[in-house]
Amino acid sequence: MEGVSYQRFPKVKIRELKDEYAKFELRDIDASMANALRRVMIAECEFCSVEFHLRAKCISDQTLDVTSKDLYSSDHTVVPVDFTDSAGFDSSEQRYLGGIIIVKLRRGQELRLRAIARKGIGKDHAKWSPAATVTFMYEPEIHINEDLMETLTLEEKQSFVESSPTRVFDIDPNTQEVVVVDPEAYTYDDEVIKKAEAMGKPGLVEIYAKADSFIFTVESTGAIKASQLVLNAIEILKQKLDAVRLSEDTVEADDQFGELGAHMRGG
C-alpha cells in the first residue's frame, strides 16, 4: 500500500564479549535479515592484503635460525604472531621460541624473500573467512499451564522435567513447582510436548519461537576481533541493501540478491 512504511528499528543487546567470541540478542528484525547478517559474516567479510619482506645472512660458524620474527612489513602496525612463552623467554640462543622457523642457514648462506598475503573472502575459499562459527537461534517463549501442572504428582513432574533432552526445566526444591531454568537450552525437539500428551495433559506447556528475536553466537578465527567481524558484516549488508534500493533493473537485482531483493521492494 502506497505511503505505508515497513521500516523497522532493530535493537541489539550484548550478552558476552571477548576478543574472539561474542553473544548478543538481535530483536525487532525478521529471519531473512538475521540470516543475511550471518551469511555475510561467514562468506563476505574480507582480510586486508599485507606484504612482508625478509633478508637474512649467516656470517658466523653457528647455524642461523631464520624465523617468522625476521619478517618485516612496510606497515609498522602489522607484525608476525609472537609465540614467546608466558614468561617472555626468548634468548638469542633459543629465539625460535618467539617465532616459526622458516629455514636454517650455514655460514655464507643468505635468504631474501617477499611474502604477500592476498585479500580474499570466505565465499571464494574458506581459508579467507575470519569467522570460525556464526549461529543464531530463535528466542523461545515458554509458558507452563500452572493449573494443569498442579494436577501432577511429584513423580510425574520429575518425569516431565527429565523428558527434555536439555535442562530447560527443573523442580523448585521449596515449592515443588516446575520452573523454566534455561529457555535457550530448548532445541525445538517437542519432547516435552509429546510427554505432556502421553500423560494425558495436552496444553501442559506451550512453546513458541519469537519470530523477530534472535540470539547470535559469533566466534572468530582470531584474525580480527569478533566485535569487528559483526561491525564489518553490518557495513557490508548496508551496502547491499543500498544497492537493492538504487537498482533500476528488477530482474538483475533479483538475480544478484534473490529473496532479499524482492523483500526490499515489498515483493
Side-chain angles (χ1 to χ4, degrees), residues 108-253:
Q109 293 182 324
E110 183 177 5
L111 175 66
R112 298 183 184 183
L113 65 82
R114 182 181 67 165
I116 301 174
R118 185 167 68 87
K119 181 170 62 176
I121 59 176
K123 186 165 61 175
D124 296 332
H125 196 286
K127 67 184 178 183
W128 281 309
S129 176
T133 59
V134 180
T135 63
F136 73 85
M137 63 172 287
Y138 288 93
E139 184 176 2
E141 187 171 351
I142 303 176
H143 298 282
I144 297 175
N145 187 320
E146 300 294 347
D147 294 334
L148 273 180
M149 190 63 72
E150 285 302 316
T151 65
L152 302 182
T153 65
L154 182 59
E155 290 74 17
E156 288 175 327
K157 290 179 180 179
Q158 189 65 43
S159 179
F160 171 82
V161 168
E162 293 176 352
S163 68
S164 176
T166 53
R167 188 172 178 271
V168 179
F169 304 92
D170 203 352
I171 297 179
D172 189 304
N174 299 318
T175 63
Q176 305 299 309
E177 294 180 351
V178 176
V179 294
V180 179
V181 292
D182 188 4
E184 292 172 23
Y186 185 67
T187 57
Y188 296 96
D189 46 63
D190 289 343
E191 290 298 322
V192 292
I193 295 176
K194 295 175 183 176
K195 179 65 175 178
E197 293 174 349
M199 296 169 68
K201 304 290 183 179
L204 183 63
V205 63
E206 294 181 342
I207 304 176
Y208 306 98
K210 295 182 181 179
D212 62 351
S213 184
F214 307 90
I215 301 169
F216 272 79
T217 300
V218 179
E219 295 182 34
S220 80
T221 60
I224 61 175
K225 292 183 178 181
S227 58
Q228 191 61 51
L229 174 59
V230 176
L231 294 175
N232 290 354
I234 291 174
E235 185 59 35
I236 293 171
L237 188 56
K238 285 170 60 179
Q239 294 173 7
K240 286 180 172 290
L241 296 178
D242 288 340
V244 173
R245 292 190 184 97
L246 297 175
S247 175
E248 296 180 356
D249 190 333
T250 301
V251 175
E252 180 183 345

Side-chain angles (χ1 to χ4, degrees), residues 1-42:
M1 182 183 298
E2 187 176 354
V4 176
S5 174
Y6 296 96
Q7 185 175 6
R8 307 184 75 171
F9 299 91
K11 300 179 181 64
V12 177
K13 179 181 178 181
I14 305 298
R15 290 193 176 182
E16 187 176 352
L17 188 61
K18 301 177 181 177
D19 283 351
E20 298 178 9
Y21 178 85
K23 187 172 185 178
F24 61 92
E25 300 171 10
L26 184 60
R27 301 178 184 274
D28 296 333
I29 195 170
D30 58 39
S32 64
M33 295 302 297
N35 192 48
L37 179 62
R38 181 189 69 88
R39 291 173 65 89
V40 169
M41 280 191 273
I42 293 174

